[in-house]
Amino acid sequence: MMSLTEKLRDFAGALAVASTDAPDDYPEWGYTTYESNMTNLKELWTEILPKLTKELEKAEFIDGKLQEAFAAFEAKEKDKGRKAILAIYNLDVKKLS
């Protein structure tokens, strides 16, 4: 079972990929697709969120920005979605506790 630190690191990695590749710039030669990366972000966030008891404001911000990003990507608003993902990434999510 992964620790919170490991999950946060993986979450940050998935955010980094989404900030540059989502929704339609994933390299064909890569193993990560838009669908797999979005699923990974959702699953990791579901596991991380209950553990962020000391960071409730940041957790609410991240939750809202994730929703905004997913909605933007679905609406084909790539720049809006990427900006929402970057806003999360720039919180230095690896250091949340």
Side-chain angles (χ1 to χ4, degrees), residues 15-47:
L15 289 168
V17 171
S19 73
T20 58
D21 296 351
D24 55 5
D25 290 329
Y26 289 85
E28 291 182 24
W29 48 263
Y31 64 90
T32 302
T33 64
Y34 169 74
E35 292 79 11
S36 69
N37 199 36
M38 294 301 110
T39 298
N40 194 26
L41 278 172
K42 289 174 187 174
E43 288 173 355
L44 284 165
W45 184 240
T46 299
E47 294 172 20

Side-chain angles (χ1 to χ4, degrees), residues 29-85:
W29 48 263
Y31 64 90
T32 302
T33 64
Y34 169 74
E35 292 79 11
S36 69
N37 199 36
M38 294 301 110
T39 298
N40 194 26
L41 278 172
K42 289 174 187 174
E43 288 173 355
L44 284 165
W45 184 240
T46 299
E47 294 172 20
I48 292 167
L49 181 58
K51 294 177 170 62
L52 297 181
T53 55
K54 297 180 216 161
E55 312 254 13
L56 295 179
E57 284 185 32
K58 286 183 181 177
E60 286 179 18
F61 175 81
I62 292 168
D63 206 48
K65 286 295 181 182
L66 276 176
Q67 308 252 349
E68 183 182 320
F70 295 141
F73 290 145
E74 291 300 314
K76 308 287 188 235
E77 296 174 350
K78 184 188 321 192
D79 289 339
K80 183 178 179 182
R82 289 180 177 181
K83 284 179 185 171
I85 294 291

Side-chain angles (χ1 to χ4, degrees), residues 2 5-15 40-41 44:
M2 287 197 313
T5 302
E6 291 169 316
K7 288 177 186 177
L8 287 167
R9 188 184 62 230
D10 285 358
F11 186 65
L15 289 168
N40 194 26
L41 278 172
L44 284 165

Side-chain angles (χ1 to χ4, degrees), residues 58-59 61-62 86-96:
K58 286 183 181 177
F61 175 81
I62 292 168
L86 275 174
I88 300 167
Y89 185 81
N90 289 336
L91 287 177
D92 201 4
V93 292
K94 289 186 254 182
K95 294 183 180 175
L96 295 174

